[in-house]
Amino acid sequence: MLALSTRVIVAVLSTAISLCTFTSYAKVDKERSYILATASSGGTFYPVGVAIATLAKLKITPQHGMSVSAITSAGSGDNLKLMRNKEAELAILQGLYGAWATQGEGAMSTAGKQDYLRSVTMLWQNVEHFVIDKKYAKTGNVSDLKNLYSQGFGIGKRNSGTEGSGKHIMAALSIDSEKFTLVHKGYAGSANALQNGQIAGMNIPAGVPVSAITSAYAADAQGITVLDFTDEQLQKVNGGTELWSRFEIPANTYPGQTKAIKTIAQPNFLAVHKDMNEEDVYLLTKTIYENLVFLQTIHKATKAMAIEKALIGLPAKLHPGALKYYQEIGIEIPAHLQ
């Protein structure tokens, strides 16, 4: 385990975030300096991505010269484009986008199958937060979104996983997203727009707790609500798959949130381009699982991570470097991931 105090960990992470670049403790091999695409800064992808990159700088760079730098992006859809164009070697993706990419379906039907895509590990669950102005909440579940027709709705940045999964969920529930005035902002921007009355609702899928949701509740806990999903709605969203599962956000997770929220969640995973150096992917996978306490100190969402869960729900084959690590520690690898 990483022998660093919480104070040191937070100090290192804060410095990394403020600079958005990282100073190496040893000479970095430029050919082994990798980009990790995340999402907007108000969600979970970015802080976890920064933590992974910082962990690599602390534990891998000094001895091996390999480095990782986390960047913001528009999210899963944008991350696949960055990987396809070799502008990023690593990315955090929604499970839905991983499935679309490997099958050439959904939002990836035009681009086709993304044959470069490989998996490293499952990370945490992406919890759906459909937040609306409370005056539009009649039933308390996502069917209330229909009450927002003609109103502004924050659907996430263009080509983001937030936009893609949000529209997928709405379509499965016969909610016409085109009847909203769609606003394409990041999580923090959507939260601010909701507080300012510029929109009446927003879709924010992320690991709990989400900083943008915390900000929204802190500003107006009595005026907003996160909508529940019924069991029937969960079944419709899955449409015969098992991608989403039931997730309950405990009361008091957010300021002034006095009741549990019965929502749903899908998995997120760390993806990698098939051409990334095998030994470097091995080192990164090994370092993550030998230093989980580091990630779990940075963001509560990663507390769901465990080596026993590393392969659950992965939508793409394992990269040979990740495969090597899992085989080395005796993890049984399903045939479809080899």
Side-chain angles (χ1 to χ4, degrees):
M1 292 294 182
L2 189 64
L4 290 174
S5 69
T6 299
R7 182 179 298 175
V8 171
I9 290 173
V10 172
V12 170
L13 184 70
S14 297
T15 301
I17 291 176
S18 65
L19 294 177
C20 292
T21 57
F22 306 93
T23 302
S24 173
Y25 292 93
K27 185 177 180 180
V28 176
D29 184 341
K30 291 184 179 179
E31 292 184 358
R32 298 169 62 222
S33 181
Y34 303 112
I35 298 297
L36 167 57
T38 62
S40 63
S41 58
T44 313
F45 281 28
Y46 181 63
V48 174
V50 170
I52 291 172
T54 305
L55 179 59
K57 288 289 176 143
L58 291 171
K59 303 295 285 186
I60 301 176
T61 303
Q63 294 183 8
H64 303 282
M66 183 269 277
S67 70
V68 177
S69 297
I71 63 168
T72 59
S73 74
S76 294
D78 192 31
N79 291 351
L80 285 167
K81 181 180 178 181
L82 291 169
M83 293 180 73
R84 182 167 63 250
N85 295 337
K86 294 194 173 181
E87 296 176 58
E89 294 79 18
L90 295 152
I92 299 177
L93 300 176
Q94 289 183 359
L96 176 63
Y97 269 76
W100 281 344
T102 56
Q103 298 163 10
E105 298 177 352
M108 303 306 297
S109 58
T110 300
K113 292 183 179 180
Q114 306 297 291
D115 294 330
Y116 61 82
L117 190 67
R118 298 293 184 269
S119 298
V120 176
T121 181
M122 268 300 162
L123 294 173
W124 72 93
Q125 288 178 293
N126 216 29
V127 182
E128 304 294 344
H129 295 73
F130 280 86
V131 191
I132 67 170
D133 185 316
K134 192 173 284 186
K135 68 183 179 184
Y136 296 103
K138 306 303 180 184
T139 67
N141 65 59
V142 285
S143 65
D144 286 335
L145 290 175
K146 293 180 179 180
N147 301 330
L148 274 63
Y149 285 164
S150 80
Q151 302 298 317
F153 189 89
I155 195 65
K157 290 186 176 181
R158 294 187 186 278
N159 199 33
S160 66
T162 300
E163 179 184 32
S165 65
K167 288 184 175 181
H168 174 85
I169 289 171
M170 290 182 201
L173 299 176
S174 300
I175 297 167
D176 187 353
S177 61
E178 297 305 315
K179 290 187 177 180
F180 303 126
T181 301
L182 295 176
V183 176
H184 294 87
K185 293 179 179 288
Y187 288 2
S190 289
N192 289 334
L194 183 64
Q195 292 167 31
N196 296 333
Q198 297 171 320
I199 60 176
M202 60 183 182
N203 170 36
I204 296 189
V208 174
V210 190
S211 61
I213 302 294
T214 299
S215 297
Y217 265 98
D220 188 14
Q222 301 306 311
I224 64 171
T225 187
V226 177
L227 299 172
D228 292 335
F229 281 75
T230 66
D231 290 341
E232 181 182 2
Q233 288 165 343
L234 168 58
Q235 187 176 9
K236 286 182 178 180
V237 170
N238 268 326
T241 71
E242 296 297 329
L243 188 59
W244 275 272
S245 60
R246 171 64 64 195
F247 191 101
E248 183 169 301
I249 302 173
N252 302 312
T253 297
Y254 298 112
Q257 174 225 338
T258 57
K259 294 182 179 180
I261 301 165
K262 297 179 180 179
T263 184
I264 61 176
Q266 62 165 306
N268 295 310
F269 74 107
L270 181 60
V272 62
H273 196 288
K274 67 178 179 61
D275 293 339
M276 184 168 164
N277 180 280
E278 180 177 335
E279 183 63 17
D280 289 343
V281 176
Y282 166 81
L283 287 170
L284 184 60
T285 311
K286 177 181 175 71
T287 300
I288 286 172
Y289 278 103
E290 289 185 351
N291 296 274
L292 271 182
V293 66
F294 180 93
L295 297 181
Q296 293 169 347
T297 300
I298 300 308
H299 202 291
K300 291 180 180 179
T302 59
K303 291 185 181 295
M305 291 180 65
I307 191 63
E308 297 82 7
K309 301 177 183 178
L311 308 184
I312 295 175
L314 288 177
K317 290 182 178 181
L318 287 167
H319 187 282
L323 179 65
K324 176 183 175 181
Y325 173 70
Y326 294 129
Q327 289 177 331
E328 185 177 273
I329 62 172
I331 298 293
E332 185 175 350
I333 313 297
H336 70 280
L337 294 180
Q338 298 184 38

